[in-house]
Amino acid sequence: MVSLRPLAGAILASVLLTGIASSPAGATTQESSAVSWTEAAARPANGKILYDRISGGQGALKVKNGTTRDAVVTLVRGKSKAISVFVRARSTATVNDVRDGTYRIFYTSGYRFSTSKGKFGRSAVYRRFDRLLSFTTTTTQSTIWTLTLNVVRGGNASTSGVNPKDFPA
């Protein structure tokens, strides 16, 4: 299981983890020494928004990628792709300005991401979180979710495999 935790303002809404998303997208980047300089330069920046159709809200999504693979996390609202963000291996990125609504979260991970093709060129894996995420804003609070892509002991979110053809591209 992976970790999934919502926060409403500064109020904890989950029993597993605590904290508030506070770093802006792209604030942290950790490189693996095994990655060549040329390959690293071609990768999108950590926290790079690859697709943004419905931003402008008060919600936030913090994504922790503790794996050795880069990842792209995609929020889907209804049947429409809403936002996609690139999260480098062993890094954290935050998507701010998520509009209120209910989203299904998909992610793909792998090596050698092609921005032009929108997919990984090597060892691609496609998954989705089984649970939907709801973002709600009131006059005093907004929802902040934290997703952890790596396995977390005692985690509270399950994922399922997705056929690459069904992945929101």
Side-chain angles (χ1 to χ4, degrees), residues 102-151:
T102 301
Y103 297 85
R104 175 152 316 272
I105 309 298
F106 291 83
Y107 70 95
T108 180
S109 62
Y111 303 99
R112 296 187 181 164
F113 183 75
S114 169
T115 305
S116 62
K117 294 179 182 177
K119 62 182 181 176
F120 289 98
R122 223 177 78 208
S123 304
V125 174
Y126 299 88
R127 303 202 60 84
R128 71 170 172 80
F129 282 87
D130 295 330
R131 187 170 158 192
L132 299 174
L133 299 185
S134 292
F135 290 84
T136 306
T137 302
T138 66
T139 56
T140 59
Q141 297 178 348
S142 60
T143 305
I144 301 170
W145 282 96
T146 298
L147 300 177
T148 303
L149 300 183
N150 51 288
V151 175

Side-chain angles (χ1 to χ4, degrees), residues 16-94:
L16 181 63
L17 300 171
T18 60
I20 300 175
S22 60
S23 47
T28 58
T29 302
Q30 297 176 355
E31 297 285 342
S32 168
S33 60
V35 175
S36 72
W37 192 86
T38 306
E39 184 180 329
R43 293 161 63 204
N46 186 58
K48 169 85 173 154
I49 301 296
L50 302 174
Y51 184 88
D52 184 356
R53 181 60 69 136
I54 59 169
S55 64
Q58 298 295 312
L61 175 66
K62 182 177 182 179
V63 181
K64 295 180 179 182
N65 182 1
T67 72
T68 59
R69 301 163 162 255
D70 291 337
V72 174
V73 176
T74 300
L75 286 77
V76 174
R77 187 172 167 189
K79 294 184 180 188
S80 301
K81 182 168 136 177
I83 301 171
S84 290
V85 62
F86 188 84
V87 186
R88 286 191 172 190
R90 296 189 176 107
S91 297
T92 299
T94 302

